[in-house]
Amino acid sequence: MKNYKILLFTFLIVPLLSFSQEKAKDSIVEKPERPAFESSSIIDNQTNVLFSKNTLEVVMQHRFGLMDEENSLLGIYGANSNIRIGLSYSILDWVTVGYGITKKNRISDFNLKAGILTQTRSGSTPFSLTYYGNIAIDGRSGSANDGVFLTKQDRYSYFHQLILARRFSPKFSMQIAPSLSHYNAVDYGYENDRISVALGGRLKISPQTSILFDYSQPITSLEDDPDTGLSYNNPGISLGVEFSTSAHAFQIFITNFNGIVPQQNYMKNTNDFFDKGMLIGFNITRVYNF
């Protein structure tokens, strides 16, 4: 009888234990990869970073005037500086909603970020896919040209972006992000929509310090500004450094984007990075977990 119990244990219990160990091993392998980036943004574009449920992120973004402005101390005293203050809250582990206000054009923006795919440590899902979108409202009393917005809808603009990101190693990550910008009202003869694509990356040089680059290329062309002759087709080029802790991220950089709100950058930018169009900017984020 004793031998019978031993045999029963061997043939029934041991395989179950082995199966559970294999399942445990698989669950470890299939865990999500660590985030590709430290912050929810990489200079002028969003990243795939989504914080855990009930996390509040406070964001402050500042762009000084053009570095080439006379007697402006590299743009720090420049008259055309811009600033945005925003809040975002994770209502789920994979969904974040936010609101921000921007000095330029007195813009209010409501935004949404949602995770679609998550890169796994095993490589079964080799990249992360995230959607980011916003609705922005121009808060000025009149239009940029000659008076008033004809309808309330003329104030609205929209932005949609898919962020394809991959963490190649603990030190290096990259992302590519196609986007669509739309303005309900534009000057006569101009397009309401623009398709663009952004390429960004991060190289860690120490546990808390990274080098960042962000390149934004318009795909569809727009006519030059008829009054100034400046081009709306210049790519966005940004280079910077990020210092991060568990709850903070500080990015300082040079860029030619001044608008901060993405559709403003993609549709309205006339600064040429290589022709007196550079400016200094910084982003500061603080995360609170509840």
Side-chain angles (χ1 to χ4, degrees):
M1 187 70 178
K2 185 176 181 181
N3 292 335
Y4 173 79
K5 291 181 179 179
I6 294 174
L7 288 173
L8 182 64
F9 177 85
T10 303
F11 285 101
L12 295 180
I13 305 301
V14 172
L16 289 175
L17 290 175
S18 300
F19 177 76
S20 65
Q21 290 174 353
E22 286 298 320
K23 291 295 289 182
K25 187 184 296 184
D26 289 343
S27 66
I28 294 173
V29 172
E30 291 300 317
K31 281 186 175 181
E33 181 59 273
R34 293 181 183 274
F37 299 93
E38 298 289 344
S39 176
S40 60
S41 65
I42 178 169
I43 305 182
D44 290 306
N45 281 286
Q46 290 290 309
T47 68
N48 70 314
V49 170
L50 288 160
F51 298 105
S52 58
K53 183 179 178 180
N54 296 329
T55 297
L56 175 68
E57 181 187 39
V58 181
V59 182
M60 180 176 290
Q61 299 164 279
H62 190 89
R63 307 293 183 267
F64 294 102
L66 293 175
M67 296 172 64
D68 194 62
E69 289 182 28
E70 185 177 353
N71 194 30
S72 66
L73 190 61
L74 296 178
I76 294 176
Y77 299 146
N80 295 316
S81 63
N82 196 15
I83 189 170
R84 177 182 181 273
I85 300 174
L87 299 173
S88 62
Y89 186 75
S90 301
I91 58 176
L92 297 170
D93 289 339
W94 58 279
V95 177
T96 298
V97 295
Y99 171 75
I101 53 174
T102 304
K103 171 188 172 184
K104 190 172 185 177
N105 296 351
R106 300 182 180 181
I107 292 174
S108 295
D109 67 277
F110 301 85
N111 53 78
L112 168 73
K113 185 189 282 189
I116 300 171
L117 295 174
T118 302
Q119 181 181 350
T120 57
R121 298 185 186 184
S122 68
S124 59
T125 304
F127 55 82
S128 294
L129 182 63
T130 308
Y131 166 80
Y132 173 80
N134 74 30
I135 300 173
I137 305 171
D138 192 316
R140 293 173 293 173
S141 58
S143 70
N145 295 318
D146 59 355
V148 298
F149 293 98
L150 297 180
T151 68
K152 183 183 296 185
Q153 286 73 25
D154 289 347
R155 298 178 179 274
Y156 295 170
S157 62
Y158 306 87
F159 184 75
H160 304 280
Q161 188 173 54
L162 286 175
I163 305 164
L164 187 70
R166 176 171 170 80
R167 185 176 190 257
F168 289 93
S169 73
K171 292 187 176 181
F172 182 66
S173 301
M174 283 189 67
Q175 68 174 34
I176 184 168
S179 65
L180 173 65
S181 304
H182 174 85
Y183 276 79
N184 279 356
V186 296
D187 292 341
Y188 178 77
Y190 281 82
E191 299 291 334
N192 296 82
D193 302 294
R194 162 164 272 184
I195 297 173
S196 308
V197 63
L199 179 68
R202 179 195 71 161
L203 177 65
K204 294 196 72 171
I205 57 176
S206 80
Q208 283 80 39
T209 308
S210 302
I211 297 173
L212 305 177
F213 73 89
D214 188 24
Y215 179 85
S216 303
Q217 178 63 55
I219 303 300
T220 52
S221 297
L222 299 177
E223 296 292 331
D224 294 345
D225 189 308
D227 297 323
T228 64
L230 296 174
S231 174
Y232 289 115
N233 300 303
N234 297 315
I237 302 174
S238 307
L239 300 168
V241 180
E242 179 180 64
F243 308 96
S244 60
T245 66
S246 59
H248 291 84
F250 175 70
Q251 301 173 355
I252 184 167
F253 45 83
I254 56 173
T255 182
N256 62 320
F257 273 163
N258 175 263
I260 303 181
V261 177
Q263 57 265 49
Q264 184 79 18
N265 283 332
Y266 281 105
M267 294 281 283
K268 306 290 186 179
N269 176 61
T270 58
N271 296 330
D272 186 341
F273 188 86
F274 299 105
D275 187 14
K276 302 178 180 180
M278 291 190 296
L279 54 95
I280 298 172
F282 64 80
N283 298 331
I284 303 174
T285 62
R286 175 66 164 93
V287 175
Y288 299 89
N289 297 306
F290 295 100

